[in-house]
Amino acid sequence: MAKQRIAAAPSVRRLPSYLHIIRQAQSEGVEFISGTVIANELNLEPIQVRKDLAITGIIGKPKKGYPTVALIAAIEHFLGWDDVQDAVLIGAGNLGTALSGYQEFQYHGLNIQAAFDSDKNKVGTKIHGVPVLAIDTLELQIKHFEAKIAILTVPSSQAQLITDKLIKAGIKAIWNFTNVKLKVPQDVVVQKEDLTSGYAMLCVKMKSFKSPDSFREQ
Amino acid sequence: MAKQRIAAAPSVRRLPSYLHIIRQAQSEGVEFISGTVIANELNLEPIQVRKDLAITGIIGKPKKGYPTVALIAAIEHFLGWDDVQDAVLIGAGNLGTALSGYQEFQYHGLNIQAAFDSDKNKVGTKIHGVPVLAIDTLELQIKHFEAKIAILTVPSSQAQLITDKLIKAGIKAIWNFTNVKLKVPQDVVVQKEDLTSGYAMLCVKMKSFKSPDSFREQ
């Protein structure tokens, strides 16, 4: 994969929490929202919020802020969340089942069409309305779906093997919840989720009470 | 809560992935590791890696890099991962069960002492070796544990109510997997996990193939 441009990544990561707040404001009839209001909700600096929002191309009005409807549209368009994103879930264990029932994803256009698992007891059932199919039929069946995204929650030992099959079947994006650094061709994107990152933040915040000259983030 | 210093947060978030790579190198007998080697593994810029590692206080040697043993110790000490962190899990549903079985946490000193759930069928059972206790005995029982950390995976509708109970029972840090912005006293830290952040990154990476002048992150 090409070198990343990490500068923008933290901004992209913050956009969903902004969207959450702006949508809530809109539902309460608020027509304009300022970067400062969003910043206060999230314990961020207003300048940071304005910089982050600027990557979506929207420009706020002095003193008034951003029109909420246009701001929601700009963020959703920037993230591609104004389109439906079809996905398949690989691994219907506890984590996979939790993800399939995560309502926030549905608000953001993520449509999980099917889950695949090796457990014969799960095949033929549904998790949160998503049918569970046999993983050994993956290559055969996946072509019936429009999905370009695979959400990978299999045991680490199988991660690369299954990734190779997914790529052969035409998957172009893998949301990787395993701790394996996947090898993929240039035209396939991988987003690796690492829950220990959040745990690291929690621990550093706890330490900041012992040595106050330390780091904070909500 | 005090204003956060967001500058350091992305660095803290990257430390666990560095630790993973450095530990692997150490297990293969590597005595020194350079920022460039770590950067290449993660598709990051070497200068970024060196800056991130500097927050732990360690200084590398020109041309040799960092001594692996000392680097591991420095990162673990910075994160507080050289100590055991006792925690309770609130909510033994799919996500809670998945987290209780997540081996990476155990490597980092996280010790889940007990889980609490409202489901009578789960109370008295174990999830990944962790006993499940009745949530209505939370305040009474939590004092028996040393835990200062609570991992919150309950439905959003109950998040604040249970948080209030946790704080009364002496919990000082909440790892919040709900989408509720919790109200807590000044001396309690909250780390909010938002899985939609990772999904936002995945979507932006996918779009970067359509408009190549865009953002990347592994």
Side-chain angles (χ1 to χ4, degrees):
Chain A
M1 279 182 58
K3 282 272 180 197
Q4 67 194 99
R5 300 192 188 179
I6 49 162
S11 301
V12 172
R13 287 189 163 278
R14 282 188 288 265
L15 290 179
S17 57
Y18 300 167
L19 189 57
H20 191 79
I21 289 164
I22 303 157
R23 274 187 173 165
Q24 190 154 357
Q26 191 213 6
S27 74
E28 291 162 4
V30 176
E31 285 184 32
F32 282 84
I33 190 163
S34 71
T36 307
V37 167
I38 298 170
N40 287 344
E41 275 288 309
L42 296 167
N43 292 332
L44 288 165
E45 297 294 343
I47 180 76
Q48 182 72 70
V49 173
R50 285 192 292 268
K51 273 188 187 172
D52 290 345
L53 291 175
I55 65 173
T56 69
I58 200 164
I59 297 164
K61 289 182 187 175
K63 296 192 183 169
K64 287 191 90 170
Y66 306 86
T68 47
V69 173
L71 186 52
I72 290 167
I75 296 174
E76 287 185 337
H77 183 71
F78 178 78
L79 296 175
W81 289 0
D82 48 356
D83 263 341
V84 172
Q85 306 276 4
D86 291 314
V88 288
L89 175 68
I90 316 296
N94 285 308
L95 182 58
T97 302
L99 294 175
S100 72
Y102 199 62
Q103 285 197 323
E104 292 284 322
F105 294 154
Q106 291 154 34
Y107 298 147
H108 303 325
L110 182 65
N111 176 39
I112 301 178
Q113 298 182 301
F116 289 88
D117 202 279
S118 61
D119 184 343
K120 295 270 180 282
N121 293 320
K122 287 179 184 162
V123 173
T125 66
K126 286 188 176 187
I127 51 170
H128 297 288
V130 176
V132 182
L133 309 175
I135 201 154
D136 47 19
T137 66
L138 182 68
E139 287 162 286
L140 205 69
Q141 297 217 50
I142 208 166
K143 290 167 192 173
H144 296 301
F145 299 102
E146 296 285 313
K148 292 287 169 233
I149 300 175
I151 305 170
L152 195 64
T153 69
V154 297
S156 295
S157 58
Q158 296 167 48
Q160 186 62 54
L161 185 76
I162 288 173
T163 295
D164 296 343
K165 289 184 183 178
L166 289 169
I167 290 164
K168 269 190 204 164
I171 289 292
K172 292 294 177 197
I174 297 172
W175 196 4
N176 178 16
F177 284 84
T178 80
N179 68 358
V180 176
K181 196 197 166 201
L182 300 172
K183 294 180 194 77
V184 298
Q186 284 276 343
D187 65 338
V188 174
V189 295
V190 178
Q191 171 65 22
K192 191 166 180 297
E193 256 349 272
D194 185 357
L195 291 172
T196 55
S197 282
Y199 179 55
M201 280 303 303
L202 183 78
C203 291
V204 170
K205 286 180 187 178
M206 286 172 73
K207 285 187 79 177
S208 76
F209 275 99
K210 295 170 197 160
S211 56
D213 195 26
S214 193
F215 315 92
R216 285 287 185 84
E217 187 198 57
Q218 177 65 31
Chain B
M1 280 183 58
K3 281 274 181 197
Q4 67 194 98
R5 300 193 186 179
I6 48 161
S11 301
V12 172
R13 288 189 163 277
R14 282 189 287 266
L15 289 178
S17 58
Y18 300 167
L19 188 58
H20 190 80
I21 288 164
I22 302 157
R23 273 187 173 165
Q24 190 155 357
Q26 191 212 8
S27 75
E28 290 162 6
V30 176
E31 285 183 33
F32 283 84
I33 190 162
S34 70
T36 307
V37 167
I38 298 170
N40 287 344
E41 274 288 309
L42 296 167
N43 292 332
L44 289 165
E45 297 294 341
I47 181 74
Q48 181 72 68
V49 173
R50 286 192 292 270
K51 273 188 187 173
D52 290 344
L53 291 174
I55 66 173
T56 70
I58 201 164
I59 297 164
K61 289 180 186 173
K63 295 194 181 171
K64 286 191 90 169
Y66 306 85
T68 49
V69 174
L71 186 54
I72 290 167
I75 296 173
E76 287 185 336
H77 183 70
F78 178 79
L79 296 175
W81 289 1
D82 47 356
D83 265 342
V84 172
Q85 306 275 5
D86 291 315
V88 287
L89 175 69
I90 316 297
N94 284 309
L95 182 58
T97 303
L99 294 174
S100 72
Y102 199 62
Q103 285 197 323
E104 291 284 320
F105 294 154
Q106 291 153 36
Y107 298 147
H108 303 325
L110 183 65
N111 175 38
I112 300 176
Q113 298 182 302
F116 290 88
D117 202 279
S118 61
D119 184 343
K120 296 269 181 285
N121 293 320
K122 287 178 185 165
V123 173
T125 66
K126 287 188 175 187
I127 50 170
H128 298 287
V130 176
V132 181
L133 309 176
I135 202 155
D136 47 20
T137 66
L138 181 70
E139 287 163 287
L140 205 69
Q141 295 216 53
I142 208 166
K143 290 168 190 172
H144 296 301
F145 299 103
E146 297 284 314
K148 293 287 168 234
I149 300 174
I151 305 169
L152 195 65
T153 69
V154 298
S156 295
S157 57
Q158 295 166 49
Q160 186 62 54
L161 185 77
I162 288 172
T163 295
D164 296 343
K165 289 184 184 181
L166 289 169
I167 290 164
K168 271 191 201 163
I171 289 293
K172 292 294 176 197
I174 297 172
W175 196 4
N176 177 17
F177 284 84
T178 79
N179 69 357
V180 177
K181 195 196 167 202
L182 301 172
K183 294 180 193 75
V184 298
Q186 283 276 344
D187 65 337
V188 174
V189 295
V190 178
Q191 171 64 23
K192 192 166 180 297
E193 248 2 86
D194 185 357
L195 291 173
T196 54
S197 282
Y199 179 55
M201 281 301 304
L202 182 77
C203 291
V204 170
K205 286 179 187 178
M206 284 172 73
K207 284 187 79 175
S208 77
F209 274 99
K210 295 170 199 161
S211 56
D213 194 26
S214 193
F215 314 93
R216 284 289 186 83
E217 188 198 55
Q218 178 63 33

